[in-house]
Amino acid sequence: VPGIDGVEADYNVTADELYNAFEQEEAKAMELYEGKVISVQGEIISIKDNEKGTNITLKAENAMIGGINCSFNNAINEQSKGDIIRIKGRCQGLLMDVILNNCVVNE
């Protein structure tokens, strides 16, 4: 999978906007966002490292527990819980959280 570092985002949204779009009308949100590169801004509520890289969850007000789940193919060490961050990733749709893959920190 090619990296998305140099790829222009198709959409710039907040974590709340992205989550709410899926919560309110998932089929319509899938049409808009699935497979697209999304730049999303939000507050980090969890950071987990795994064998593939790092997983960062951004808070969405209306989510019961999570919000936007962003998976990185590398370790992300310079961020911490509570930081406001902008992350760019490819949208895969909604499981419990909205899923973004191949993410990069989007300064």
Side-chain angles (χ1 to χ4, degrees):
V1 180
I4 60 168
D5 243 337
V7 176
E8 194 66 40
D10 296 299
Y11 297 97
N12 284 291
V13 293
T14 66
D16 283 338
E17 288 167 341
L18 186 59
Y19 186 86
N20 292 346
F22 277 93
E23 188 185 54
Q24 287 156 8
E25 209 172 330
E26 189 175 346
K28 186 175 168 201
M30 284 297 284
E31 253 176 61
L32 264 183
Y33 297 124
E34 186 182 24
K36 299 286 194 227
V37 173
I38 313 240
S39 176
V40 60
Q41 182 172 334
E43 179 188 340
I44 297 174
I45 55 172
S46 92
I47 301 177
K48 293 189 181 86
D49 292 313
N50 58 40
E51 67 285 344
K52 293 192 183 94
T54 299
N55 225 310
I56 291 181
T57 303
L58 299 180
K59 176 181 180 182
E61 285 303 331
N62 292 334
M64 295 299 276
I65 42 176
I68 312 299
N69 185 315
C70 308
S71 49
F72 291 79
N73 298 331
N74 55 344
I76 303 295
N77 302 319
E78 60 279 1
Q79 306 299 333
S80 42
K81 202 170 159 179
D83 287 357
I84 302 297
I85 189 175
R86 183 168 282 284
I87 293 174
K88 186 167 64 173
R90 199 170 292 284
C91 186
Q92 304 303 311
L94 180 72
L95 290 170
M96 288 292 287
D97 298 322
V98 177
I99 307 297
L100 295 185
N101 287 339
N102 301 322
C103 292
V104 294
V105 174
N106 195 12
E107 304 298 355

